[in-house]
Each structure stands twice: as structure tokens, then as C-alpha cells.
Amino acid sequence: MALNHYIYYMKSLEFKAFLHAVGVAVYTVLVVSVMFFVGSRTQDNYFTPVMFLLMFVLSAAVVGALVLGRPILMYVEGQKKEAIKMFIATIFWLAILTAIAFLSQVVA
């Protein structure tokens, strides 16, 4: 009985939305880490703003795909209610993860 409930939850939209939100959080941590590492080793020249803008565009594409990719596919396939539900759930989980990040800075 517990295994069936676990498998159902793993396939649920809420869990997939949670995974997408965690993916955004992990990607954000990686980008910030790269920016700190590269930023401390580069000199200000012509390529610094180019590198920043390229990273910004890449980040917008990756995060856009994680947040909007599956809901758009579901919406196009006719699963409109599920698509909206997944989009809202992803935003909800992102808000929760953001609140946790802010609270960890306030408490620390």
C-alpha cells in the first residue's frame, strides 16, 4: 500500500513542480558559484560585460525552460488545467525555496 502511494506521489504534478523548482535553485547556486570564481580571477575589460550578458541570457533560457517548458507542452497537448496547476505549483515551490534562502541569511 505504501509503495503505491509513493509511486503515485512521484508521478504527481506537485512533485514534478517541486523537482523543477529545485532544479532552478541548484542552477542558481551553480551560476553564483561560477560568477564568484570567475569574478575574482578576471580583470575589468571589454569581455567582462559580454560574459555577464551571455550568462544572463543562458540563465534566462535555462530557468525559463525549467519553469515554463513542461506546462507549455501540457497546455498545447490539451491538458490546460494540469498545465496551469503545474505552473502555479512550480512558482509556489520557488517562493518557498526563496523564503528559506532569505530566512537562512536572517538567522545566520
Side-chain angles (χ1 to χ4, degrees):
M1 182 69 176
L3 182 61
N4 287 340
H5 181 68
Y6 176 75
I7 292 172
Y8 172 77
Y9 185 72
M10 295 293 285
K11 292 181 179 181
S12 70
L13 287 177
E14 292 83 6
F15 184 72
K16 290 177 183 176
F18 172 74
L19 289 180
H20 286 215
V22 168
V24 170
V26 168
Y27 179 75
T28 303
V29 169
L30 290 174
V31 168
V32 169
S33 299
V34 166
M35 290 178 77
F36 272 121
F37 178 75
V38 172
S40 65
R41 292 175 178 14
T42 60
Q43 298 175 3
D44 288 337
N45 59 24
Y46 176 76
F47 291 105
T48 302
V50 171
M51 182 177 56
F52 173 76
L53 287 174
L54 285 172
M55 183 67 81
F56 178 72
V57 170
L58 177 65
S59 293
V62 170
V63 171
L66 283 170
V67 172
L68 294 171
R70 186 167 303 235
I72 288 174
L73 285 174
M74 292 169 68
Y75 194 87
V76 168
E77 291 175 351
Q79 301 172 344
K80 295 180 181 183
K81 288 183 181 180
E82 292 86 358
I84 292 169
K85 182 178 178 182
M86 183 169 185
F87 176 72
I88 291 171
T90 303
I91 297 300
F92 170 78
W93 283 114
L94 277 173
I96 296 295
L97 293 173
T98 303
I100 291 170
F102 275 113
L103 289 174
S104 70
Q105 292 299 310
V106 171
V107 173

